[in-house]
Amino acid sequence: FGSSRIVLCVEHCTRTADFARTLQLLASMGSYCSCEETQKNIEQVKEDIEQRGMMAVVEEKVVLAASSVESFLDEKVAEAESGAKTSEAAAKTTEEGAKKEGAEVVDATLGAAAAAAAALTGTMVVEFDAGSNGGIKMVSFKTPQVGLALVLSGGGCCTSGKPKVAVKAVDKKGQAETLGVLKSWKVVSINGTPVTGLDQAQKLLADCAAKLPQA
């Protein structure tokens, strides 16, 4: 209980000549002791009272008890805050994991759709990422002359993430331009095969385009 109630309790014990109870109360304040330890504390309190007086000892014990309670509460608050941070971090990790998993599912679905479209139509289906405003674009090339060049874009000191294969240039009046392909679009997949690097993308593009009929 509070420090003011402790003082009142001690004063009551003193007024009613319950000296033994007073000693026990003072000896136990601020600590949780065994019976043997409590008895030793009582003997020490007796000496303190004889030397400094009852109320001086009471005030000292009240300060110690309050300090002990405050330390205990600080520990519990710190534990609660730590637990909250841990829970928040775990929730964030779970959310990020769910987003990543969802993105992987979407990518796999789009890749499968591109492969199916290519097989059914006899075309080369290239999946582009046109950015936050343009979204994902599926473009079907029908002839080997695709009319575009690729480059590795991003990943430098001033950009975040890994470099990605992007459209370096679009031939004037070529097939890519006619189909609406724009410079800087990222190449995601070709006929359902994910693009992992510039050399791989260029070879994949050339191999798939070579299978297309001439115009």
Side-chain angles (χ1 to χ4, degrees):
F1 40 77
S3 58
S4 59
R5 292 182 63 189
I6 293 173
V7 173
L8 289 173
C9 183
V10 173
E11 287 179 338
H12 171 75
C13 292
T14 304
R15 285 197 304 270
T16 56
D18 190 355
F19 192 64
R21 172 62 180 147
T22 303
L23 290 175
Q24 288 178 344
L25 180 62
L26 292 174
S28 63
M29 285 169 63
S31 62
Y32 297 92
C33 307
S34 63
C35 293
E36 183 178 348
E37 290 172 329
T38 301
Q39 187 59 44
K40 290 181 181 179
N41 288 341
I42 288 174
E43 295 301 324
Q44 182 61 52
V45 169
K46 280 183 181 179
E47 293 181 12
D48 289 344
I49 290 172
E50 289 173 358
Q51 294 175 4
R52 298 187 289 136
M54 175 71 76
M55 292 313 296
V57 175
V58 169
E59 289 174 1
E60 177 185 272
K61 290 294 182 180
V62 166
V63 171
L64 290 174
S67 177
S68 178
V69 170
E70 185 177 359
S71 297
F72 175 80
L73 290 175
D74 287 344
E75 279 184 19
K76 293 303 177 185
V77 169
E79 288 176 7
E81 290 177 348
S82 177
K85 289 179 180 177
T86 301
S87 298
E88 183 179 351
K92 186 176 181 181
T93 300
T94 301
E95 182 182 0
E96 289 174 351
K99 287 181 178 178
K100 182 179 179 181
E101 185 177 348
E104 290 173 350
V105 170
V106 170
D107 287 344
T109 302
L110 290 173
L120 288 172
T121 61
T123 61
M124 178 179 69
V125 178
V126 180
E127 179 187 355
F128 294 98
D129 181 353
S132 57
N133 294 327
I136 298 297
K137 306 285 187 181
M138 295 284 195
V139 180
S140 297
F141 291 85
K142 298 179 180 179
T143 64
Q145 295 76 28
V146 293
L148 60 80
L150 303 179
V151 69
L152 203 58
S153 175
C157 62
C158 299
T159 57
S160 60
K162 295 181 179 179
K164 296 181 179 180
V165 176
V167 177
K168 179 182 179 181
V170 176
D171 293 347
K172 190 72 173 176
K173 297 183 180 180
Q175 184 177 195
E177 184 184 63
T178 302
L179 294 171
V181 177
L182 299 178
K183 182 180 176 180
S184 299
W185 279 10
K186 304 298 187 296
V187 184
V188 179
S189 71
I190 300 172
N191 278 2
T193 301
V195 167
T196 58
L198 181 59
D199 291 342
Q200 178 250 17
Q202 289 174 331
K203 185 177 186 305
L204 190 59
L205 187 68
D207 290 347
C208 292
K211 296 175 185 178
L212 297 176
Q214 292 291 336

